[in-house]
Amino acid sequence: MLNEFKEFIARGNVMDLAVGVIIGAAFNKIVTSVVEDLVMPVVGALTGGGFDFSNYFLPLSANVTATSLAAARQQGAVFAYGNFITVLINFLILAWIIFLMIKAVNRMRTSLEKQKEAAPAAPPPEDIQLLGEIRDLLKQRA
């Protein structure tokens, strides 16, 4: 069983997955920083406070009289729809940013592939050229 486990770990797929998870975690930090540090301050400046609906709720009990969600939850049951709206808007902004980043990467990849195609092929090595000339001379004799 130990040998099977070693073979499983040594497979390329498991290592690729591990690298993907690590890169994904690092990428998540980058995207989170872009959203929180670059995009949301601009959105907040444009909308006069941003998209923070986290304290929007509907009391489900007559005992709830608080104005903040944390205090209202202590008083009784609440329907806290505001946090969902905030998370949904943040998700949509995040998805849009990831879409733009992937689009830019794909555009760069396409331009690099076009450059590779446009680059002239390197001439064959000298020995291959000589063999080609010998082949052509032999064809002319025959």
Side-chain angles (χ1 to χ4, degrees):
M1 184 176 277
L2 185 60
N3 287 335
E4 287 181 50
F5 181 71
K6 286 180 185 177
E7 288 177 24
F8 173 75
I9 293 297
R11 284 188 197 157
N13 295 344
V14 174
M15 297 307 290
D16 291 344
L17 179 61
V19 169
V21 168
I22 292 168
I23 295 293
F27 186 70
N28 180 37
K29 290 180 182 180
I30 292 170
V31 172
T32 301
S33 176
V34 167
V35 171
E36 292 177 359
D37 301 332
L38 302 177
V39 174
M40 290 310 287
V42 173
V43 170
L46 294 175
T47 61
F51 294 113
D52 186 16
F53 303 108
S54 58
N55 278 321
Y56 288 27
F57 63 92
L58 293 173
L60 298 177
S61 169
N63 298 335
V64 178
T65 59
T67 57
S68 72
L69 180 60
R73 283 186 172 159
Q74 291 177 351
Q75 293 177 347
V78 294
F79 183 72
Y81 65 92
N83 192 41
F84 174 75
I85 293 172
T86 302
V87 170
L88 180 64
I89 291 171
N90 285 342
F91 170 77
L92 292 174
I93 292 170
L94 179 73
W96 179 252
I97 290 170
I98 290 173
F99 168 74
L100 293 176
M101 291 173 76
I102 291 173
K103 188 174 179 176
V105 168
N106 287 341
R107 188 175 296 149
M108 285 188 329
R109 185 178 295 149
T110 302
S111 80
L112 287 175
E113 288 174 3
K114 285 181 182 178
Q115 287 176 356
K116 285 181 183 178
E117 291 173 3
E126 188 176 329
D127 56 344
I128 301 295
Q129 286 179 344
L130 288 174
L131 288 172
E133 290 174 11
I134 293 170
R135 179 199 62 217
D136 293 341
L137 287 172
L138 290 172
K139 279 185 183 179
Q140 286 177 357
R141 282 189 176 181

